[in-house]
Amino acid sequence: SSPKQALEGIYEVTVRRAGLFSSWLIDQAVVGTELTLSEPSGDFYHDNLRDADNVVAIAGGCGVTPFRSMIHAILEGSENYRLTLIYGSRTCSDIIFKKELEDLSDERIRVITVLSDEKAEGYEHGFITADILKKYVPESASFFLCGPDAMYEFMEGELKKLEIARKYIRQEHNAVGNRSVDNPRE
């Protein structure tokens, strides 16, 4: 959910099957089930003092969810920056929020989807490489990454090819299966 939605008491959560709780939630929870969750936390957000006016959001799989929140914040007017989402998915059927992302029509937001396991018209094919980034990345940008560890490791090399300084790269470390905050790669 966006910051505005949260202030209105609306919390949207995207669940990926990754263990006991998520499997229970997907398979057995019903509408009306009450859950106790911790509050949102972390520093994976745009900051006008720290970040550029152009954000390149690189997502893998369910790592698209924080960028969906950022997109909503831009559309609602609580944030004012340009966002280029480069979203890696295996196939068209694996794209989370596919229709919502395709229906976006805002000059501040651009969505490029890269399919690794399928070739389809209107989509890039392969992995998110330095060559793909060169096609879509504006000059002077902050880079936000969210996805699996393998994506972080791969993107580290691709961003080095573009000579992007580490201080312009931010990674979300609170997703299941990602490195802990105590041990991020520098």
Side-chain angles (χ1 to χ4, degrees):
S1 49
S2 71
K4 181 181 175 198
Q5 289 172 312
L7 290 172
E8 295 169 352
I10 299 168
Y11 300 95
E12 294 178 319
V13 179
T14 302
V15 179
R16 175 179 173 231
R17 186 182 306 272
L20 184 64
F21 177 73
S22 59
S23 294
W24 174 85
L25 196 59
I26 292 167
D27 296 336
Q28 297 178 30
V30 295
V31 173
T33 300
E34 290 190 27
L35 304 169
T36 301
L37 304 171
S38 65
E39 71 279 352
S41 62
D43 63 357
F44 196 69
Y45 59 89
H46 182 268
D47 182 314
N48 290 330
L49 296 175
R50 175 189 58 212
D51 299 310
D53 289 337
N54 290 306
V55 170
V56 176
I58 301 173
C62 65
V64 72
T65 56
F67 302 125
R68 179 178 179 253
S69 176
M70 291 176 183
I71 288 169
H72 280 267
I74 292 168
L75 295 173
E76 295 166 354
S78 60
E79 293 290 349
N80 185 25
Y81 56 91
R82 299 178 66 84
L83 187 136
T84 300
L85 171 60
I86 303 177
Y87 177 29
S89 191
R90 291 183 182 184
T91 66
C92 284
S93 63
D94 292 324
I95 299 171
I96 300 171
F97 309 119
K98 183 176 189 285
K99 175 112 175 80
E100 181 179 340
L101 293 173
E102 289 176 347
D103 289 347
L104 279 173
S105 62
D106 191 284
E107 67 279 353
R108 299 166 296 174
I109 302 163
R110 186 171 186 194
V111 178
I112 295 92
T113 305
V114 182
L115 303 175
S116 63
D117 296 356
E118 176 180 56
K119 287 187 178 181
E121 188 174 330
Y123 298 94
E124 292 285 348
H125 176 67
F127 292 110
I128 301 171
T129 62
D131 288 335
I132 287 178
L133 292 173
K134 283 180 198 175
K135 287 173 67 172
Y136 299 106
V137 170
E139 286 194 34
S140 181
S142 292
F143 291 78
F144 286 55
L145 284 72
C146 188
D149 284 341
M151 183 194 88
Y152 289 159
E153 292 167 15
F154 181 76
M155 289 310 306
E156 184 176 336
E158 297 305 298
L159 292 170
K160 277 185 182 177
K161 291 177 188 176
L162 297 175
E163 299 180 356
I164 306 297
R166 179 71 186 121
K167 68 181 179 178
Y168 299 115
I169 303 169
R170 313 251 327 281
Q171 297 178 355
E172 170 60 83
H173 293 287
N174 295 321
V176 172
N178 287 3
R179 286 182 219 103
S180 72
V181 175
D182 298 330
N183 191 20
R185 289 193 113 141
E186 293 297 333

